[in-house]
Amino acid sequence: MLDPFGREARKIVKDEFGGITELLMVIPSYVGIDAALERVRWINSGEVPKGILELDDVRDLLTFYALLGALAFSPYGLEMELVKEASLGIYSLKIETAETMEGTSVPLEAVRGDYIPPRDRAILERTHHTELSPEEKKNLRLEYRIHLSKFLELWDGSLKEVYIRKGYAYLTRGQAVELWKRAFERNFDRAVNLLYEVRDELPGYYFRLYEELGKIAREHFKERLEKMGRAEAQPLRFDLFPPCVKMALGGVPAGLRNYAITVLLTSFLSYARICPNPPRRDVRIRDCVQDLSVVEKEIMPIIIEAGNRCSPPLFEDQPHEIKNIWYHLGFGLTDKPTLEDSGNSPWYFPPNCSKIRANAPELCKPDRDCRNIKNPLTYYLRKLYLENRKRKENEQAEGAENEGKGAGMEGEGK
């Protein structure tokens, strides 16, 4: 399989299995946990096993989606980083050796000779530059084109780097591969987000696979584990909250108060602060904390302040709503909870974006980061993940810069 998100892969998933959900249900019967882990175990050696590269299309999809199913339990953590890195390595190698990239998830088509004026082609491909080797000339050859609207969705470089003609961007093989990598990462994130919503329905096989992935990920990333950070309890990052939560924090009018404060804000803040990546939906607060201080001193004041910003103030107008807040936190209908009360009612999970749009459409004002996101908590997890990755990249760049300066000073000393 050249691309697990490509046209042929989608056809197999739909025609032979009936869809992704159905595919995930049958995978445990066909793929052992060790067989799925073979797709990532090679990563420390840097050499993809020949057996992985030679899997038939169906077996390739089964083992790939087995790992995606496991990532439903940790959509933005080291496990995802590991699987994405290993999968990019596998499919990049397959694409490098393939005759064509047509049929991947990027809508590329081969360039015919009459698409580009001969003079333009001669300039762009430097066909008259005799000093260039055949390999260098091959790398300059424009092999694919893609409609400009699709191209702009993925490209983040300068348009000056690309030949554009009659609504199409023309690409070298190298540029097409880079575009495919961006599409792969986008499709990968989208798939994991979708599976996060159905993880409670998945067989126990996937959680066991996730636990094994965690062991490999911690070993692979052991040098930067602390810097990278994981989606565990930590102080809230208000700047990374989704638009609906920020709106609820600012106070809302009467018709939205109960939903915005009691349903959305209470669930989001409590999970984001205490248990941002719960292993299951029936988790209780007492499974995550040893006392109620974090709830009483950090979460409840924020909820009450947001309620007081409403018009009219929620808790002045409906003082009994405090009991409802504790009920949604899983302590039953009370205003004087103890840790032992945790579990007397469900600890409500943040509502999905579709439910927010249906029940409180005024709260749903999506920004560009809401694309492919199905739940406000997933939005927050993704932003935390990207923030940590950006910090790591900056630290690595600073380290390389300092090493370069040190080497320069050393040279001057000589």
PDB file of all heavy atoms in Angstrom, residues 75-105:
ATOM      1  N   PRO A  75      -4.619  10.698  21.939  1.00  0.00           N
ATOM      2  CA  PRO A  75      -4.569  11.357  20.633  1.00  0.00           C
ATOM      3  C   PRO A  75      -3.408  12.330  20.455  1.00  0.00           C
ATOM      4  O   PRO A  75      -2.995  12.567  19.330  1.00  0.00           O
ATOM      5  CB  PRO A  75      -5.912  12.079  20.557  1.00  0.00           C
ATOM      6  CG  PRO A  75      -6.329  12.266  21.972  1.00  0.00           C
ATOM      7  CD  PRO A  75      -5.807  11.071  22.705  1.00  0.00           C
ATOM      8  N   TYR A  76      -2.880  12.886  21.541  1.00  0.00           N
ATOM      9  CA  TYR A  76      -1.752  13.810  21.410  1.00  0.00           C
ATOM     10  C   TYR A  76      -0.743  13.534  22.506  1.00  0.00           C
ATOM     11  O   TYR A  76      -0.704  14.208  23.525  1.00  0.00           O
ATOM     12  CB  TYR A  76      -2.235  15.270  21.418  1.00  0.00           C
ATOM     13  CG  TYR A  76      -3.058  15.564  20.211  1.00  0.00           C
ATOM     14  CD1 TYR A  76      -4.437  15.671  20.288  1.00  0.00           C
ATOM     15  CD2 TYR A  76      -2.457  15.643  18.956  1.00  0.00           C
ATOM     16  CE1 TYR A  76      -5.194  15.888  19.151  1.00  0.00           C
ATOM     17  CE2 TYR A  76      -3.197  15.846  17.825  1.00  0.00           C
ATOM     18  CZ  TYR A  76      -4.563  15.978  17.929  1.00  0.00           C
ATOM     19  OH  TYR A  76      -5.307  16.171  16.793  1.00  0.00           O
ATOM     20  N   GLY A  77       0.062  12.544  22.282  1.00  0.00           N
ATOM     21  CA  GLY A  77       1.084  12.163  23.246  1.00  0.00           C
ATOM     22  C   GLY A  77       2.256  11.544  22.523  1.00  0.00           C
ATOM     23  O   GLY A  77       2.344  11.555  21.296  1.00  0.00           O
ATOM     24  N   LEU A  78       3.174  10.977  23.275  1.00  0.00           N
ATOM     25  CA  LEU A  78       4.351  10.378  22.683  1.00  0.00           C
ATOM     26  C   LEU A  78       4.006   9.183  21.810  1.00  0.00           C
ATOM     27  O   LEU A  78       4.704   8.895  20.833  1.00  0.00           O
ATOM     28  CB  LEU A  78       5.323   9.943  23.789  1.00  0.00           C
ATOM     29  CG  LEU A  78       5.940  11.070  24.619  1.00  0.00           C
ATOM     30  CD1 LEU A  78       6.846  10.507  25.683  1.00  0.00           C
ATOM     31  CD2 LEU A  78       6.708  12.024  23.726  1.00  0.00           C
ATOM     32  N   GLU A  79       2.931   8.473  22.161  1.00  0.00           N
ATOM     33  CA  GLU A  79       2.529   7.333  21.349  1.00  0.00           C
ATOM     34  C   GLU A  79       2.173   7.767  19.926  1.00  0.00           C
ATOM     35  O   GLU A  79       2.570   7.125  18.944  1.00  0.00           O
ATOM     36  CB  GLU A  79       1.330   6.617  21.987  1.00  0.00           C
ATOM     37  CG  GLU A  79       1.612   5.982  23.337  1.00  0.00           C
ATOM     38  CD  GLU A  79       1.538   6.961  24.507  1.00  0.00           C
ATOM     39  OE1 GLU A  79       1.190   8.145  24.273  1.00  0.00           O
ATOM     40  OE2 GLU A  79       1.815   6.550  25.632  1.00  0.00           O
ATOM     41  N   MET A  80       1.445   8.886  19.822  1.00  0.00           N
ATOM     42  CA  MET A  80       1.099   9.393  18.501  1.00  0.00           C
ATOM     43  C   MET A  80       2.348   9.841  17.757  1.00  0.00           C
ATOM     44  O   MET A  80       2.503   9.589  16.557  1.00  0.00           O
ATOM     45  CB  MET A  80       0.118  10.553  18.598  1.00  0.00           C
ATOM     46  CG  MET A  80      -0.338  11.045  17.223  1.00  0.00           C
ATOM     47  SD  MET A  80      -1.450  12.454  17.302  1.00  0.00           S
ATOM     48  CE  MET A  80      -0.397  13.745  16.690  1.00  0.00           C
ATOM     49  N   GLU A  81       3.252  10.501  18.453  1.00  0.00           N
ATOM     50  CA  GLU A  81       4.495  10.950  17.838  1.00  0.00           C
ATOM     51  C   GLU A  81       5.268   9.764  17.268  1.00  0.00           C
ATOM     52  O   GLU A  81       5.812   9.817  16.164  1.00  0.00           O
ATOM     53  CB  GLU A  81       5.342  11.677  18.891  1.00  0.00           C
ATOM     54  CG  GLU A  81       6.592  12.319  18.358  1.00  0.00           C
ATOM     55  CD  GLU A  81       6.375  13.732  17.900  1.00  0.00           C
ATOM     56  OE1 GLU A  81       5.215  14.184  17.847  1.00  0.00           O
ATOM     57  OE2 GLU A  81       7.363  14.387  17.579  1.00  0.00           O
ATOM     58  N   LEU A  82       5.299   8.689  18.030  1.00  0.00           N
ATOM     59  CA  LEU A  82       6.020   7.484  17.611  1.00  0.00           C
ATOM     60  C   LEU A  82       5.394   6.878  16.360  1.00  0.00           C
ATOM     61  O   LEU A  82       6.090   6.582  15.373  1.00  0.00           O
ATOM     62  CB  LEU A  82       6.001   6.459  18.742  1.00  0.00           C
ATOM     63  CG  LEU A  82       6.581   5.075  18.428  1.00  0.00           C
ATOM     64  CD1 LEU A  82       8.099   5.143  18.382  1.00  0.00           C
ATOM     65  CD2 LEU A  82       6.120   4.051  19.455  1.00  0.00           C
ATOM     66  N   VAL A  83       4.082   6.659  16.378  1.00  0.00           N
ATOM     67  CA  VAL A  83       3.400   6.010  15.251  1.00  0.00           C
ATOM     68  C   VAL A  83       3.476   6.886  14.004  1.00  0.00           C
ATOM     69  O   VAL A  83       3.681   6.390  12.889  1.00  0.00           O
ATOM     70  CB  VAL A  83       1.936   5.693  15.611  1.00  0.00           C
ATOM     71  CG1 VAL A  83       1.202   5.123  14.406  1.00  0.00           C
ATOM     72  CG2 VAL A  83       1.875   4.707  16.771  1.00  0.00           C
ATOM     73  N   LYS A  84       3.323   8.196  14.170  1.00  0.00           N
ATOM     74  CA  LYS A  84       3.389   9.086  13.016  1.00  0.00           C
ATOM     75  C   LYS A  84       4.779   9.064  12.393  1.00  0.00           C
ATOM     76  O   LYS A  84       4.927   8.975  11.165  1.00  0.00           O
ATOM     77  CB  LYS A  84       3.012  10.513  13.423  1.00  0.00           C
ATOM     78  CG  LYS A  84       2.966  11.478  12.235  1.00  0.00           C
ATOM     79  CD  LYS A  84       2.761  12.911  12.679  1.00  0.00           C
ATOM     80  CE  LYS A  84       1.368  13.161  13.185  1.00  0.00           C
ATOM     81  NZ  LYS A  84       1.124  14.593  13.479  1.00  0.00           N
ATOM     82  N   GLU A  85       5.808   9.133  13.232  1.00  0.00           N
ATOM     83  CA  GLU A  85       7.186   9.122  12.736  1.00  0.00           C
ATOM     84  C   GLU A  85       7.496   7.818  12.009  1.00  0.00           C
ATOM     85  O   GLU A  85       8.076   7.820  10.917  1.00  0.00           O
ATOM     86  CB  GLU A  85       8.153   9.319  13.906  1.00  0.00           C
ATOM     87  CG  GLU A  85       9.605   9.422  13.514  1.00  0.00           C
ATOM     88  CD  GLU A  85      10.521   9.611  14.712  1.00  0.00           C
ATOM     89  OE1 GLU A  85      10.100  10.284  15.686  1.00  0.00           O
ATOM     90  OE2 GLU A  85      11.650   9.083  14.697  1.00  0.00           O
ATOM     91  N   ALA A  86       7.102   6.692  12.609  1.00  0.00           N
ATOM     92  CA  ALA A  86       7.372   5.392  11.996  1.00  0.00           C
ATOM     93  C   ALA A  86       6.585   5.231  10.695  1.00  0.00           C
ATOM     94  O   ALA A  86       7.114   4.726   9.693  1.00  0.00           O
ATOM     95  CB  ALA A  86       7.025   4.279  12.974  1.00  0.00           C
ATOM     96  N   SER A  87       5.331   5.659  10.691  1.00  0.00           N
ATOM     97  CA  SER A  87       4.494   5.513   9.494  1.00  0.00           C
ATOM     98  C   SER A  87       5.005   6.386   8.358  1.00  0.00           C
ATOM     99  O   SER A  87       5.022   5.958   7.188  1.00  0.00           O
ATOM    100  CB  SER A  87       3.042   5.873   9.824  1.00  0.00           C
ATOM    101  OG  SER A  87       2.523   5.005  10.818  1.00  0.00           O
ATOM    102  N   LEU A  88       5.428   7.602   8.661  1.00  0.00           N
ATOM    103  CA  LEU A  88       6.011   8.462   7.629  1.00  0.00           C
ATOM    104  C   LEU A  88       7.261   7.814   7.041  1.00  0.00           C
ATOM    105  O   LEU A  88       7.502   7.883   5.836  1.00  0.00           O
ATOM    106  CB  LEU A  88       6.353   9.833   8.216  1.00  0.00           C
ATOM    107  CG  LEU A  88       5.274  10.910   8.116  1.00  0.00           C
ATOM    108  CD1 LEU A  88       5.679  12.142   8.907  1.00  0.00           C
ATOM    109  CD2 LEU A  88       5.009  11.290   6.664  1.00  0.00           C
ATOM    110  N   GLY A  89       8.058   7.174   7.903  1.00  0.00           N
ATOM    111  CA  GLY A  89       9.257   6.503   7.429  1.00  0.00           C
ATOM    112  C   GLY A  89       8.924   5.365   6.478  1.00  0.00           C
ATOM    113  O   GLY A  89       9.563   5.210   5.429  1.00  0.00           O
ATOM    114  N   ILE A  90       7.917   4.584   6.830  1.00  0.00           N
ATOM    115  CA  ILE A  90       7.526   3.433   5.999  1.00  0.00           C
ATOM    116  C   ILE A  90       6.985   3.890   4.647  1.00  0.00           C
ATOM    117  O   ILE A  90       7.447   3.446   3.590  1.00  0.00           O
ATOM    118  CB  ILE A  90       6.462   2.582   6.731  1.00  0.00           C
ATOM    119  CG1 ILE A  90       7.086   1.895   7.953  1.00  0.00           C
ATOM    120  CG2 ILE A  90       5.859   1.547   5.788  1.00  0.00           C
ATOM    121  CD1 ILE A  90       6.078   1.259   8.891  1.00  0.00           C
ATOM    122  N   TYR A  91       6.009   4.801   4.669  1.00  0.00           N
ATOM    123  CA  TYR A  91       5.358   5.179   3.416  1.00  0.00           C
ATOM    124  C   TYR A  91       6.226   6.106   2.574  1.00  0.00           C
ATOM    125  O   TYR A  91       6.119   6.098   1.341  1.00  0.00           O
ATOM    126  CB  TYR A  91       3.988   5.788   3.705  1.00  0.00           C
ATOM    127  CG  TYR A  91       3.023   4.755   4.241  1.00  0.00           C
ATOM    128  CD1 TYR A  91       2.569   4.794   5.556  1.00  0.00           C
ATOM    129  CD2 TYR A  91       2.591   3.701   3.438  1.00  0.00           C
ATOM    130  CE1 TYR A  91       1.706   3.832   6.057  1.00  0.00           C
ATOM    131  CE2 TYR A  91       1.720   2.735   3.930  1.00  0.00           C
ATOM    132  CZ  TYR A  91       1.289   2.798   5.240  1.00  0.00           C
ATOM    133  OH  TYR A  91       0.451   1.823   5.728  1.00  0.00           O
ATOM    134  N   SER A  92       7.095   6.887   3.203  1.00  0.00           N
ATOM    135  CA  SER A  92       8.036   7.712   2.428  1.00  0.00           C
ATOM    136  C   SER A  92       8.971   6.820   1.621  1.00  0.00           C
ATOM    137  O   SER A  92       9.269   7.098   0.451  1.00  0.00           O
ATOM    138  CB  SER A  92       8.862   8.614   3.362  1.00  0.00           C
ATOM    139  OG  SER A  92       8.048   9.573   3.990  1.00  0.00           O
ATOM    140  N   LEU A  93       9.431   5.742   2.246  1.00  0.00           N
ATOM    141  CA  LEU A  93      10.322   4.807   1.559  1.00  0.00           C
ATOM    142  C   LEU A  93       9.598   4.136   0.393  1.00  0.00           C
ATOM    143  O   LEU A  93      10.173   3.933  -0.683  1.00  0.00           O
ATOM    144  CB  LEU A  93      10.828   3.759   2.547  1.00  0.00           C
ATOM    145  CG  LEU A  93      12.042   2.922   2.125  1.00  0.00           C
ATOM    146  CD1 LEU A  93      13.206   3.806   1.731  1.00  0.00           C
ATOM    147  CD2 LEU A  93      12.445   1.987   3.254  1.00  0.00           C
ATOM    148  N   LYS A  94       8.333   3.792   0.600  1.00  0.00           N
ATOM    149  CA  LYS A  94       7.565   3.179  -0.485  1.00  0.00           C
ATOM    150  C   LYS A  94       7.380   4.156  -1.646  1.00  0.00           C
ATOM    151  O   LYS A  94       7.485   3.776  -2.822  1.00  0.00           O
ATOM    152  CB  LYS A  94       6.196   2.736   0.030  1.00  0.00           C
ATOM    153  CG  LYS A  94       6.241   1.521   0.954  1.00  0.00           C
ATOM    154  CD  LYS A  94       4.835   1.054   1.290  1.00  0.00           C
ATOM    155  CE  LYS A  94       4.851  -0.218   2.111  1.00  0.00           C
ATOM    156  NZ  LYS A  94       3.511  -0.794   2.312  1.00  0.00           N
ATOM    157  N   ILE A  95       7.109   5.419  -1.316  1.00  0.00           N
ATOM    158  CA  ILE A  95       6.894   6.419  -2.361  1.00  0.00           C
ATOM    159  C   ILE A  95       8.188   6.706  -3.115  1.00  0.00           C
ATOM    160  O   ILE A  95       8.175   6.909  -4.335  1.00  0.00           O
ATOM    161  CB  ILE A  95       6.299   7.701  -1.738  1.00  0.00           C
ATOM    162  CG1 ILE A  95       4.807   7.481  -1.483  1.00  0.00           C
ATOM    163  CG2 ILE A  95       6.517   8.914  -2.625  1.00  0.00           C
ATOM    164  CD1 ILE A  95       4.099   8.628  -0.817  1.00  0.00           C
ATOM    165  N   GLU A  96       9.321   6.706  -2.419  1.00  0.00           N
ATOM    166  CA  GLU A  96      10.606   6.953  -3.073  1.00  0.00           C
ATOM    167  C   GLU A  96      10.895   5.926  -4.165  1.00  0.00           C
ATOM    168  O   GLU A  96      11.512   6.245  -5.185  1.00  0.00           O
ATOM    169  CB  GLU A  96      11.735   6.920  -2.038  1.00  0.00           C
ATOM    170  CG  GLU A  96      11.826   8.165  -1.179  1.00  0.00           C
ATOM    171  CD  GLU A  96      12.897   8.037  -0.102  1.00  0.00           C
ATOM    172  OE1 GLU A  96      13.768   7.148  -0.250  1.00  0.00           O
ATOM    173  OE2 GLU A  96      12.859   8.804   0.864  1.00  0.00           O
ATOM    174  N   THR A  97      10.463   4.688  -3.936  1.00  0.00           N
ATOM    175  CA  THR A  97      10.765   3.620  -4.888  1.00  0.00           C
ATOM    176  C   THR A  97       9.620   3.350  -5.868  1.00  0.00           C
ATOM    177  O   THR A  97       9.762   2.516  -6.765  1.00  0.00           O
ATOM    178  CB  THR A  97      11.088   2.314  -4.129  1.00  0.00           C
ATOM    179  OG1 THR A  97       9.991   1.989  -3.252  1.00  0.00           O
ATOM    180  CG2 THR A  97      12.338   2.493  -3.272  1.00  0.00           C
ATOM    181  N   ALA A  98       8.505   4.058  -5.716  1.00  0.00           N
ATOM    182  CA  ALA A  98       7.358   3.848  -6.609  1.00  0.00           C
ATOM    183  C   ALA A  98       7.574   4.581  -7.929  1.00  0.00           C
ATOM    184  O   ALA A  98       8.236   5.617  -7.985  1.00  0.00           O
ATOM    185  CB  ALA A  98       6.081   4.330  -5.941  1.00  0.00           C
ATOM    186  N   GLU A  99       6.986   4.056  -8.988  1.00  0.00           N
ATOM    187  CA  GLU A  99       7.118   4.680 -10.297  1.00  0.00           C
ATOM    188  C   GLU A  99       6.322   5.981 -10.376  1.00  0.00           C
ATOM    189  O   GLU A  99       6.706   6.918 -11.059  1.00  0.00           O
ATOM    190  CB  GLU A  99       6.656   3.719 -11.393  1.00  0.00           C
ATOM    191  CG  GLU A  99       7.560   2.502 -11.565  1.00  0.00           C
ATOM    192  CD  GLU A  99       7.097   1.616 -12.711  1.00  0.00           C
ATOM    193  OE1 GLU A  99       6.121   1.998 -13.396  1.00  0.00           O
ATOM    194  OE2 GLU A  99       7.715   0.560 -12.904  1.00  0.00           O
ATOM    195  N   THR A 100       5.202   6.043  -9.695  1.00  0.00           N
ATOM    196  CA  THR A 100       4.345   7.221  -9.765  1.00  0.00           C
ATOM    197  C   THR A 100       3.731   7.510  -8.402  1.00  0.00           C
ATOM    198  O   THR A 100       3.594   6.594  -7.573  1.00  0.00           O
ATOM    199  CB  THR A 100       3.221   7.035 -10.801  1.00  0.00           C
ATOM    200  OG1 THR A 100       2.374   8.206 -10.801  1.00  0.00           O
ATOM    201  CG2 THR A 100       2.382   5.807 -10.470  1.00  0.00           C
ATOM    202  N   MET A 101       3.355   8.770  -8.184  1.00  0.00           N
ATOM    203  CA  MET A 101       2.673   9.160  -6.954  1.00  0.00           C
ATOM    204  C   MET A 101       1.181   9.350  -7.168  1.00  0.00           C
ATOM    205  O   MET A 101       0.467   9.738  -6.241  1.00  0.00           O
ATOM    206  CB  MET A 101       3.283  10.463  -6.409  1.00  0.00           C
ATOM    207  CG  MET A 101       4.674  10.308  -5.836  1.00  0.00           C
ATOM    208  SD  MET A 101       5.301  11.855  -5.145  1.00  0.00           S
ATOM    209  CE  MET A 101       4.124  12.148  -3.822  1.00  0.00           C
ATOM    210  N   GLU A 102       0.712   9.080  -8.359  1.00  0.00           N
ATOM    211  CA  GLU A 102      -0.723   9.183  -8.610  1.00  0.00           C
ATOM    212  C   GLU A 102      -1.455   8.129  -7.787  1.00  0.00           C
ATOM    213  O   GLU A 102      -0.999   6.993  -7.661  1.00  0.00           O
ATOM    214  CB  GLU A 102      -1.009   9.009 -10.100  1.00  0.00           C
ATOM    215  CG  GLU A 102      -0.506  10.177 -10.946  1.00  0.00           C
ATOM    216  CD  GLU A 102      -0.857  10.017 -12.410  1.00  0.00           C
ATOM    217  OE1 GLU A 102      -0.188   9.223 -13.085  1.00  0.00           O
ATOM    218  OE2 GLU A 102      -1.809  10.684 -12.867  1.00  0.00           O
ATOM    219  N   GLY A 103      -2.588   8.498  -7.223  1.00  0.00           N
ATOM    220  CA  GLY A 103      -3.355   7.573  -6.401  1.00  0.00           C
ATOM    221  C   GLY A 103      -3.137   7.756  -4.916  1.00  0.00           C
ATOM    222  O   GLY A 103      -3.788   7.101  -4.108  1.00  0.00           O
ATOM    223  N   THR A 104      -2.206   8.650  -4.528  1.00  0.00           N
ATOM    224  CA  THR A 104      -2.029   8.949  -3.104  1.00  0.00           C
ATOM    225  C   THR A 104      -3.151   9.880  -2.663  1.00  0.00           C
ATOM    226  O   THR A 104      -4.028  10.246  -3.453  1.00  0.00           O
ATOM    227  CB  THR A 104      -0.666   9.612  -2.846  1.00  0.00           C
ATOM    228  OG1 THR A 104      -0.632  10.904  -3.493  1.00  0.00           O
ATOM    229  CG2 THR A 104       0.484   8.752  -3.366  1.00  0.00           C
ATOM    230  N   SER A 105      -3.102  10.303  -1.414  1.00  0.00           N
ATOM    231  CA  SER A 105      -4.152  11.195  -0.894  1.00  0.00           C
ATOM    232  C   SER A 105      -4.046  12.604  -1.464  1.00  0.00           C
ATOM    233  O   SER A 105      -4.964  13.414  -1.296  1.00  0.00           O
ATOM    234  CB  SER A 105      -4.068  11.249   0.633  1.00  0.00           C
ATOM    235  OG  SER A 105      -2.782  11.677   1.042  1.00  0.00           O
TER     236      SER A 105
END
